[in-house]
Amino acid sequence: MNISNLTPEEIADNLQMTFERLLIPVVDSIGQIERLKRRECLTAEEVELLYGLKASTLANKRSRARGPEYVKDGDKILYRHQAIKKYLDAKAVRTAE
């Protein structure tokens, strides 16, 4: 596409379509993260999205009675925000500075 052959309206339309294509997924992701922050409990997959702890790592740690505290209701495993934060705080490495 040669931009010099486009009218200002066509350029504006192309820019709008490009911005929408690029920004809508970002806005959707931000919305999802904000919704997760407001929930009391999270699934392992949601913990992965919000805190970066892999769901598979959480499952592995659960099987060895390690990792963050969780709630088990039947087959459902849920994590509270404060349990994840406490777990991450306990893993912090203190430096000399």
Side-chain angles (χ1 to χ4, degrees):
M1 176 188 319
N2 187 349
I3 195 165
S4 62
N5 296 335
L6 297 176
T7 67
E9 293 81 18
E10 290 172 324
I11 293 171
D13 288 344
N14 283 331
L15 282 173
Q16 182 174 348
M17 288 187 320
T18 300
F19 283 136
E20 287 174 359
R21 189 181 83 245
L22 295 173
L23 293 178
I24 286 175
V26 172
V27 171
D28 289 345
S29 293
I30 292 169
Q32 180 182 17
I33 289 170
E34 290 304 315
R35 283 188 299 277
L36 292 177
K37 286 180 179 178
R38 290 190 298 270
R39 291 190 47 204
E40 185 176 341
C41 294
L42 305 169
T43 65
E45 292 76 16
E46 292 166 339
V47 170
E48 184 172 344
L49 284 171
L50 199 54
Y51 291 98
L53 295 171
K54 296 273 186 202
S56 58
T57 300
L58 292 169
N60 185 8
K61 290 186 179 293
R62 271 195 323 272
S63 72
R64 295 182 292 131
R66 301 209 181 275
E69 181 181 280
Y70 61 93
V71 176
K72 183 173 170 95
D73 183 18
D75 290 339
K76 192 172 222 169
I77 303 292
L78 298 171
Y79 295 89
R80 291 186 179 100
H81 287 277
Q82 67 265 26
I84 298 297
K85 289 175 184 176
K86 181 178 175 183
Y87 172 76
L88 291 173
D89 286 345
K91 294 294 181 184
V93 177
R94 306 290 180 225
T95 61
E97 292 183 19

